[in-house]
Amino acid sequence: MEIIIQPTPEEASRLAARLVAHALREKPDCVLGMATGGTPVKLYEELVRLHVEEDLDFSRATAFNLDEYVGLPGDHPCSYRYFMEEHLYRHVNISPERVHIPNGMAEDIPAECEMYEAAIRTAGGIDMQILGIGSDGHIGFNEPTSSLASRTRIKTLTDKTRRDNARTFGSVKDVPKHVLTMGVGTIMDSRQVVLLAFGSQKANAIARTVEGPISAMMPASILQTHRVAKIFMDEEAAGLLERKAYYKWVFEGKPDWQKF
Ligand code: GLP
C-alpha cells in the first residue's frame, strides 16, 4: 500500500487526478472503475478541468461504476448514474456506449450481475479502480462481513450506511435497502486501486484499513494484499494512523519520477 497524506482534500484530489490522467495518456483505451459519494467529486472536477484546459482525452476510455441502488431509474437524481452524468460523464468526451453502471431496475438481478462481470472481462479488466470508503470500511457497497472473494451481486445496506447516505435523499426512509455492487473480488482484480478518504469521520476506517488486521469486518483492509493500492487522504482522515510520520517521510523522499 502507498499512503499519500496531503494537507487538504483539494490537494489530495489534484494528485489523484494527475495519476488518472497519467494512466489515460499512457493508455488511451484505459478501463477506469468509477466511484460515487462526496469524496471523489473534487477528483472529477479536476478531470473535467484537465479535459477542458489540457485536452485530456476520454474518447477511447471505458468506465465501469462500482454500484447502484436497486429500484432507482438512471434519471432519478439520487441514482449513481445521475450522479456520474452530473459530475463527470456529460462534461468529458467519453462515449456513452462505453459507460457502464449496474442497472438497478433490472428485472433479473442475478443475470444483470453476471452480465456486468462479463462486460468487465470483455473490456479486458479494470486498469484503475477509483474508490471511496464508507465510515464502516465498506468499498463499493460491500458492507462489513461481505465475502472478500465476492463478485457483483445484490447487497442489503446496513442502517449506518443508509443514515450516512440519507443526505442526498433527504430522509433515511427514502434510501433504498438494496443495491447492486461489484464484489470485493471484482475490485481486487483491477490492476491498480486509488482510494480517497477525507475528513475525521473516515479516520477510524482508514486506520483499520491500513494498519489493522485483514478482516471481512473491514472490507477495505483486503487492499493490504493488492499489488498496487494507493491511498490518498487529507490530514483529518490520517488522524488515527500510528505510522503517519513514516508515510509522509516516504512520500516526501520519493524521486520525482516515482511521483506520477
Ligand atoms: C457509498 C458508495 C461508496 C462510497 C461511500 C462513501 O456508500 N457506495 O462507494 O465510498 O458511499 O461516501 P462519501 O464519499 O460520500 O463519504
Side-chain angles (χ1 to χ4, degrees):
M1 268 182 167
E2 188 175 350
I3 314 303
I4 300 141
I5 303 167
Q6 293 290 296
T8 63
E10 287 73 16
E11 283 156 285
S13 302
R14 256 199 309 276
L15 266 189
R18 257 173 65 186
L19 188 65
V20 178
H22 178 74
L24 257 176
R25 288 191 170 117
E26 289 281 295
K27 187 181 177 198
D29 60 350
C30 192
V31 180
L32 296 169
M34 298 299 195
T36 49
T39 306
V41 167
K42 290 189 175 67
L43 163 69
Y44 296 149
E45 273 171 22
E46 181 63 9
L47 289 177
V48 171
R49 189 193 68 76
L50 289 170
H51 169 67
V52 173
E53 293 176 15
E54 296 182 24
D55 291 330
L56 184 64
D57 183 19
F58 290 79
S59 64
R60 293 172 58 199
T62 298
F64 285 93
N65 262 83
L66 282 166
D67 44 18
E68 182 60 283
Y69 290 105
V70 168
L72 293 194
D75 58 0
H76 189 291
C78 296
S79 75
Y80 282 166
R81 177 170 286 277
Y82 190 93
F83 174 97
M84 288 307 298
E85 293 295 338
E86 283 300 298
H87 290 282
L88 183 69
Y89 296 146
R90 72 184 175 84
H91 304 288
V92 296
N93 63 336
I94 194 162
S95 320
E97 66 275 15
R98 278 201 283 273
V99 165
H100 305 268
I101 302 183
N103 177 9
M105 298 296 285
E107 274 183 24
D108 185 341
I109 286 186
E112 168 66 17
C113 295
E114 267 183 42
M115 267 162 44
Y116 206 67
E117 288 278 333
I120 295 173
R121 279 196 301 276
T122 305
I126 294 171
D127 291 304
M128 181 180 277
Q129 176 66 56
I130 296 161
L131 292 175
I133 186 169
S135 59
D136 59 2
H138 71 248
I139 44 176
F141 266 133
N142 294 285
E143 296 282 31
T145 73
S146 287
S147 160
L148 298 179
S150 50
R151 311 303 305 186
T152 304
R153 69 214 182 293
I154 189 167
K155 285 291 291 179
T156 306
L157 294 181
T158 60
D159 270 350
K160 179 162 188 8
T161 298
R162 290 183 70 232
R163 271 184 272 117
D164 283 353
N165 291 5
R167 63 185 185 277
T168 42
F169 287 85
S171 142
V172 184
K173 69 173 179 21
D174 296 328
V175 181
K177 293 193 175 72
H178 296 107
V179 292
L180 301 185
T181 181
M182 280 187 204
V184 181
T186 320
I187 293 168
M188 287 297 287
D189 283 349
S190 55
R191 293 179 193 98
Q192 189 170 167
V193 170
V194 175
L195 185 146
L196 296 108
F198 305 136
S200 56
Q201 72 282 11
K202 300 293 172 71
N204 180 50
I206 282 295
R208 291 177 62 195
T209 293
V210 174
E211 296 175 339
I214 295 171
S215 163
M217 285 300 285
M218 184 54 48
S221 63
I222 191 67
L223 297 175
Q224 290 175 26
T225 70
H226 195 283
R227 282 177 52 211
V228 195
K230 297 187 200 292
I231 321 288
F232 290 80
M233 63 193 79
D234 65 351
E235 282 286 348
E236 288 186 3
L240 298 176
L241 286 170
E242 259 178 49
R243 302 204 163 208
K244 184 171 154 188
Y246 170 67
Y247 308 133
K248 286 184 164 184
W249 187 73
V250 169
F251 187 70
E252 280 154 21
K254 275 188 163 214
D256 278 346
W257 61 266
Q258 253 196 343
K259 280 192 181 167
F260 30 89

